[in-house]
Amino acid sequence: MKNVLVLCTGNSCRSQLAEGYLKHFAQTKAKIYSAGIEVHGVNPKAVLIMAEDRIDISGQTSNNINEYVDVPFDYVITVCDHEKESCPYFPTQAIKLHHNFPDPAKAIGTETEIMAEFKRTRDLVKVYMEDFVSKNLSE
C-alpha cells in the first residue's frame, strides 16, 4: 500500500479537500495523510462544500508536518505555492508533485460568492486528485 501526503500552509482547506478526494478515489490502494507547516483547523466551509459532493471530511483533522517525519511516503503533493516555498526540510524519498490551487478561504464578497470560490477550488482539486490516482495508484 502506498503512503500519500498532501501538504498546504495551514492544513485547513485545500489539503483537506485533497485528502477527502484521495481517500474517495484511492479507496484501499493508499493511506492518505494531510498536513501543514501550520495548523489552522479544518475550515467549516470546506466540510460543507465537500458534503455537497457526498464526501464527508468532518472527521478529518488539521495536522502539523512534524507529526509524519517517520512515515515512509511514496508521494508528497503540495497544493499551494506558499507551502512549497516555506516548507522546512522534510526528509523523504517520496516523489514530489506540486499544483497551486486557489485559496477559497481568502475569497471575499457575499456568502454566495465565497461559496462559489470554495466550489471552484473543490472542483479543481477533484479533477487533479482523480487524475493522480488513476495515473499513480491504479495497480
Side-chain angles (χ1 to χ4, degrees):
M1 181 178 312
K2 304 283 187 189
N3 288 318
V4 180
L5 174 64
V6 182
L7 283 176
C8 196
T9 304
N11 192 218
S12 65
C13 192
R14 292 167 284 184
S15 53
Q16 295 293 335
L17 301 174
E19 178 183 350
Y21 279 123
L22 285 171
K23 286 178 176 177
H24 174 74
F25 293 125
Q27 299 289 315
T28 60
K29 296 174 188 156
K31 184 154 172 75
I32 309 301
Y33 302 81
S34 71
I37 56 175
E38 302 166 9
V39 178
H40 295 168
V42 180
N43 187 308
K45 287 180 172 65
V47 174
L48 286 173
I49 206 69
M50 289 297 281
E52 285 183 8
D53 200 25
R54 297 188 179 108
I55 306 286
D56 181 8
I57 65 168
S58 63
Q60 291 179 190
T61 58
S62 186
N63 302 290
N64 187 283
I65 188 174
N66 293 325
E67 295 175 43
Y68 301 130
V69 293
D70 295 327
V71 178
F73 289 106
D74 298 286
Y75 295 94
V76 174
I77 305 169
T78 52
V79 294
C80 68
D81 283 345
H82 180 261
E83 187 289 320
K84 185 177 182 223
E85 295 163 5
S86 304
C87 189
Y89 173 70
F90 186 69
T92 182
Q93 297 297 316
I95 295 168
K96 295 174 185 132
L97 304 170
H98 174 70
H99 188 90
N100 185 45
F101 294 99
D103 187 357
K106 293 184 177 174
I108 55 172
T110 66
E111 189 66 16
T112 300
E113 292 167 332
I114 291 169
M115 290 310 290
E117 281 303 301
F118 270 83
K119 182 178 182 191
R120 184 172 78 88
T121 298
R122 179 201 67 194
D123 293 348
L124 292 169
V125 169
K126 180 179 184 177
V127 168
Y128 184 91
M129 296 308 153
E130 185 173 25
D131 185 61
F132 168 81
V133 169
S134 72
K135 288 180 178 173
N136 299 286
L137 304 176
S138 59
E139 302 130 25

